[in-house]
Amino acid sequence: FGTPAVASPGLPPPAEPRFSPTDPLAADPAPAAAAALRAGLAERLAAVDAALAALQAERRLRPDQLDYARLHRRRFAEAAQAIAALLRYHPDWPDCRVVEVGSSITPMLYNRLFPALRLGSACLFRHPQLDGVVDEAAQLDLEKADLRAGPVLPHRDQHMILLCEVLEHLVVNPANLFRALAGSLAPGGLLYVTTPNFFRAEARAALLAGRNPVAIYPPSFGPADRFHHHVREYAMSELLD
């Protein structure tokens, strides 16, 4: 079984072995990546503001679209930050293809911020403003498409698909939707999703006060307005499951 250790004269006895568990956060790159994204957000917000100002000067935005863009400028900047990260981590994708589902004016912004991007769009409505901005514009009703049958986008081999603030407006199964969209991704491509968090602070406060945080369908809305209404908001755990 080996020779037992013997302390040398005049020297302290050998220290007992110590086993300290590794800090899981120290080896986790996610916090560092999140910090880097936050650090660049202010710069990206300034770039979004400059792009909006240029589009306004060229009279390419209606007043209601400009108001909407100013209201959502932070999430536009966050999506632009994700695109920038994609380009930085994949220099082997020189002709990076990005398609936005449910897009309106945002491809015009991304075209300003990343002129080399090959942009696509898929939306229920046709937006003439995107003519000459996107390579391919598809009209698509996700609620009428069979999301169980495979890819639903006509776009193929996309490096990133953006689904921003769309899911909450749809009567669909999220897992089916994500699979149907991911089928159009190139190997290593990313599906980028944002949607309101049902358990955000103000929603929890409303629940504690006995109020439903999701508004009922407004009495002024007609059938054509339904896509401005939140049908269902999700918790993060639901989408991860």
Side-chain angles (χ1 to χ4, degrees):
F1 294 98
T3 304
V6 178
S8 301
L11 295 177
E16 290 293 324
R18 300 179 62 187
F19 301 97
S20 57
T22 57
D23 180 0
L25 293 181
D28 185 357
L37 288 174
R38 285 193 297 270
L41 186 59
E43 178 183 347
R44 203 66 62 185
L45 278 166
V48 166
D49 289 339
L52 286 174
L55 291 170
Q56 182 185 17
E58 296 169 4
R59 301 182 182 276
R60 297 181 63 186
L61 296 177
R62 301 192 309 265
D64 63 304
Q65 291 176 323
L66 184 60
D67 290 341
Y68 177 83
R70 286 171 173 164
L71 179 65
H72 293 276
R73 59 188 283 273
R74 181 182 176 88
R75 74 171 176 86
F76 294 164
E78 289 171 346
Q81 192 79 331
I83 294 172
L86 180 77
L87 296 173
R88 184 167 62 251
Y89 292 126
H90 288 283
D92 53 321
W93 291 347
D95 295 324
C96 193
R97 295 179 294 279
V98 176
V99 61
E100 181 158 22
V101 178
S103 55
S104 56
I105 64 169
T106 40
M108 291 191 286
L109 280 176
Y110 303 143
N111 179 248
R112 290 271 179 177
L113 298 173
F114 309 101
L117 279 187
R118 294 181 57 187
L119 292 163
S121 68
C123 188
L124 181 64
F125 310 104
R126 184 181 181 277
H127 297 283
Q129 291 161 299
L130 299 184
D131 292 348
V133 175
V134 299
D135 290 349
E136 183 176 6
Q139 281 189 260
L140 176 65
D141 188 338
L142 289 170
E143 291 187 339
K144 293 181 179 178
D146 187 353
L147 302 177
R148 302 163 299 177
V152 292
L153 295 177
H155 314 78
R156 290 292 182 268
D157 294 324
Q158 297 298 304
H159 296 111
M160 177 179 276
I161 294 175
L162 301 169
L163 184 74
C164 301
E165 310 303 301
V166 173
L167 177 61
E168 65 274 12
H169 298 279
L170 301 175
V171 182
V172 298
N173 177 272
N176 287 346
L177 175 60
F178 296 162
R179 276 192 292 266
L181 295 177
S184 291
L185 288 171
L190 299 175
L191 175 61
Y192 177 92
V193 179
T194 68
T195 190
N197 178 9
F198 180 77
F199 290 106
R200 59 194 179 274
E202 58 267 30
R204 294 198 305 272
L207 287 169
L208 290 173
R211 300 192 307 274
N212 190 330
V214 180
I216 63 173
Y217 200 73
S220 59
F221 274 18
D225 299 306
R226 65 171 297 266
F227 290 104
H228 298 293
H229 181 68
H230 288 196
V231 177
R232 173 73 148 80
E233 293 184 357
Y234 297 86
M236 175 70 79
S237 58
E238 292 178 297
L239 299 182
L240 292 177
D241 290 343

